[in-house]
């Protein structure tokens, strides 16, 4: 965060335009369950865990390749980048499928959905880089975030939403 807050583009500070809860949002869209607002907040409320832990647990749940990895994900939760108790990890999983029943219906967890979402996220980033180059807009790309000067934030935010839907509609 400190590095990004001090990064300049054309001698001006950058502002990051990024997607909120991008993987769960993209998966929901592909399932016909488009989310609005902060997708993590209902899980935070239901689980009683803080947003940072919910975000980390959801990333792990969407990223596990199979149910055989579930025990290891739970076991390693206290040792993770965002440490949490095993019971917190389990509470977040239970809250997520309670709040968003379609996660269970469409086998979102333990099915390598995270890798599929990363591929789609990469496709969006490629489109964004092509668009920025064609329009001569200086832009730094970091995962699902696009850093630009403040005068381009509104435009870039609109284009990234448009390209995400274009990529997802082509994936359906």
């Amino acid at each position: 965060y400190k590095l990004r807050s001090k990064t300049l583009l054309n001698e001006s500070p950058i502002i990051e335009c990024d997607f909120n809860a991008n993987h769960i949002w993209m998966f929901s869209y592909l399932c016909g369950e488009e989310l609005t607002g902060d997708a993590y907040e209902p899980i935070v409320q239901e689980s009683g865990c803080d947003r940072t832990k919910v975000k980390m647990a959801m990333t792990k749940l969407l990223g596990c390749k199979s149910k055989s990895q579930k025990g290891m994900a739970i076991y390693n939760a206290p040792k993770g980048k965002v440490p949490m108790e095993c019971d917190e990890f389990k509470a977040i999983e239970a809250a997520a499928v309670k709040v968003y029943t379609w996660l269970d219906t469409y086998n979102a967890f333990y099915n390598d959905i995270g890798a599929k979402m990363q591929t789609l996220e990469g496709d969006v980033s490629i489109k964004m880089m092509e668009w920025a180059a064609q329009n001569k807009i200086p832009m730094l790309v970091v995962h699902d975030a696009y850093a630009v000067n403040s005068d381009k934030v509104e435009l870039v935010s609109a284009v990234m939403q448009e390209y995400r839907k274009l990529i997802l509609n082509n994936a359906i």
Side-chain angles (χ1 to χ4, degrees), residues 13-48:
I14 59 170
I15 297 176
E16 283 188 52
C17 306
D18 68 349
F19 293 112
N20 183 354
N22 198 30
H23 287 190
I24 189 172
W25 191 94
M26 289 191 304
F27 187 71
S28 75
Y29 186 87
L30 293 171
C31 295
E33 301 282 349
E34 190 172 347
L35 297 172
T36 58
D38 182 354
Y40 295 138
E41 188 56 31
I43 302 168
V44 167
Q45 295 300 316
E46 182 65 31
S47 69

Side-chain angles (χ1 to χ4, degrees), residues 147-167:
V148 293
N149 294 126
S150 61
D151 63 326
K152 300 295 183 203
V153 168
E154 204 171 302
L155 175 62
V156 168
S157 293
V159 171
M160 61 192 263
Q161 298 294 333
E162 176 186 330
Y163 280 149
R164 178 170 69 174
K165 284 191 176 181
L166 175 73
I167 294 296

Side-chain angles (χ1 to χ4, degrees), residues 3-113:
L3 177 65
R4 291 182 192 173
S5 67
K6 294 179 181 181
T7 301
L8 301 178
L9 189 61
N10 291 338
E11 299 179 21
S12 296
I14 59 170
I15 297 176
E16 283 188 52
C17 306
D18 68 349
F19 293 112
N20 183 354
N22 198 30
H23 287 190
I24 189 172
W25 191 94
M26 289 191 304
F27 187 71
S28 75
Y29 186 87
L30 293 171
C31 295
E33 301 282 349
E34 190 172 347
L35 297 172
T36 58
D38 182 354
Y40 295 138
E41 188 56 31
I43 302 168
V44 167
Q45 295 300 316
E46 182 65 31
S47 69
C49 298
D50 70 50
R51 189 180 191 285
T52 306
K53 290 178 180 180
V54 168
K55 182 177 179 180
M56 182 57 67
M58 290 300 293
T59 299
K60 291 189 178 301
L61 288 163
L62 290 167
C64 283
K65 292 182 181 182
S66 67
K67 284 210 183 222
S68 65
Q69 293 183 326
K70 181 176 183 172
M72 194 56 73
I74 293 168
Y75 175 77
N76 285 326
K79 304 173 201 168
K81 182 179 175 184
V82 178
M84 69 187 84
E85 297 301 318
C86 298
D87 287 344
E88 289 176 304
F89 188 90
K90 292 175 189 177
I92 291 167
E93 179 180 11
V97 296
K98 181 177 181 184
V99 170
Y100 301 126
T101 57
W102 49 267
L103 287 170
D104 193 41
T105 303
Y106 294 102
N107 299 312
F109 299 155
Y110 312 111
N111 199 17
D112 206 17
I113 294 301

